[in-house]
Amino acid sequence: MSQAVAGREAETAGPAMPRHVAIIMDGNGRWAASRHLPRIAGHREGARAVRRTIEAAIRHGVEWLTIYAFSSENWRRPAGEVLDLTGLLRQYLRTEVAELAKNGVRLRFIGDRTRFDPDIQNDLAQAEAGTAQNTRLNLIVALSYGSRSEILGAARAMAEAMREGRLDPEAVTETCFGRFLSTDGIPDPDLIIRTSGEQRLSNFLLWQAAYAELAFLDVLWPDFGDTHFAAAMAEYARRERRFGARPG
Ligand code: IPE
Ligand code: IPE
Ligand code: MG
């Protein structure tokens, strides 16, 4: 096989291993309801699933893992649930970050963090700064994240840069636009997993997901573990990524 052909094949089929896996962690409420437990019990169990998933990602050699923990629309939930979720986040940041740091995980947060209490904002900044040198796994946590508002923010920042003469409209390419997004420097997700059987993106990485492979699993997030992660990776390996080119 000539090099050109081999190169083209690599481009269309893609490697069997995703570099970047993104997960929409859904189903905590239903998990709790099925056990006649309060929703918070599902969220707590969901936090345990996050731990297992990070370990699985490391074991499988994934470089980038993005998890959707709280959407910009989730603020619409009853105040009590929002309080439970922010409380869990606070607790998670205080108890888990040291362990993640020790395991070589680099943390980064995307989303509108200004909506959280100042102490949480402070912990987020510290977690990022304290793990910035780590290289084993890049963990991106989407918090108060919404893709449309991210894209709108990028458009606004670009317009501002143009008005000030710092950016030439002719120079705006996809790469240039990507630099204005919160995912600047992060490769696009290769595989997006959603648990709980729902088949939608719910305002998650709309720009970045243009060519992602999607895997919808029936498992509820608190039950998610290594076997599900492995199954999604195997499913990915069976897919043929064409990026608009011809098959084969
Ligand atoms: C996912 O579980 C966690 C968040 C969205 C914060 P849900 O709370 O959405 O659980 P279901 O969808 O009601 O089962
Ligand atoms: C998506 O789940 C957001 C997160 C997993 C954080 P939701 O449960 O909020 O999504 P919808 O409302 O069912 O689309
Ligand atoms: Mg849900």
Side-chain angles (χ1 to χ4, degrees):
M1 193 190 299
S2 79
Q3 256 191 354
V5 171
R8 195 158 61 236
E9 206 167 75
E11 198 177 290
T12 53
M17 266 278 304
R19 266 186 92 195
H20 183 176
V21 176
I23 308 182
I24 303 171
M25 311 184 291
D26 198 14
N28 296 352
R30 276 163 282 172
W31 183 92
S34 72
R35 285 167 175 73
H36 309 287
L37 294 169
R39 291 179 67 87
I40 174 86
H43 296 313
R44 238 183 248 127
E45 203 55 37
R48 288 193 195 104
V50 168
R51 228 167 284 155
R52 290 195 294 274
T53 303
I54 293 168
E55 285 163 16
I58 291 175
R59 253 197 316 278
H60 285 268
V62 166
E63 288 174 64
W64 303 83
L65 174 68
T66 298
I67 53 177
Y68 201 7
F70 193 86
S71 75
S72 48
E73 287 72 30
N74 287 147
W75 293 108
R76 293 181 190 150
R77 293 192 179 192
E81 184 171 358
V82 169
L83 205 63
D84 283 344
L85 285 166
T86 51
L88 258 182
L89 171 63
R90 183 178 280 116
Q91 199 183 322
Y92 191 88
L93 288 166
R94 304 234 158 120
T95 57
E96 305 274 321
V97 171
E99 185 70 15
L100 292 175
K102 211 172 69 198
N103 288 331
V105 175
R106 178 178 181 173
L107 270 158
R108 191 160 149 179
F109 302 96
I110 56 171
D112 181 9
R113 62 181 80 185
T114 65
R115 294 187 72 174
F116 293 104
D117 289 338
D119 68 302
I120 291 183
Q121 291 186 45
N122 191 46
D123 288 349
L124 295 176
Q126 276 200 6
E128 285 180 328
T131 61
Q133 304 308 320
N134 288 346
T135 55
R136 197 161 176 213
L137 172 74
N138 291 284
L139 175 64
I140 298 120
V141 186
L143 287 172
S144 188
Y145 174 86
S147 194
R148 282 192 167 183
S149 89
E150 176 192 34
I151 292 169
L152 213 55
R156 205 176 286 135
M158 265 189 356
E160 193 68 30
M162 285 173 199
R163 188 171 63 184
E164 291 170 3
R166 289 182 282 118
L167 182 66
D168 176 3
E170 302 280 332
V172 178
T173 59
E174 288 183 8
T175 308
C176 165
F177 188 75
R179 283 194 205 107
F180 286 88
L181 296 170
S182 63
T183 48
D184 179 28
I186 301 171
D188 285 343
D190 300 297
L191 170 65
I192 297 183
I193 299 169
R194 182 171 188 145
T195 59
S196 91
E198 308 294 351
Q199 304 194 357
R200 55 177 169 268
L201 290 175
S202 299
N203 207 8
F204 186 50
L205 302 178
L206 301 181
W207 169 276
Q208 299 86 342
Y211 266 106
E213 294 296 327
L214 309 178
F216 299 107
L217 309 187
D218 277 329
V219 62
L220 299 172
W221 177 250
D223 291 325
F224 188 87
D226 192 51
T227 47
H228 305 100
F229 196 92
M233 299 289 277
E235 169 66 27
Y236 176 87
R238 283 192 292 272
R239 303 271 178 96
E240 188 192 6
R241 303 187 77 189
R242 295 203 278 272
F243 301 99
R246 285 195 354 207

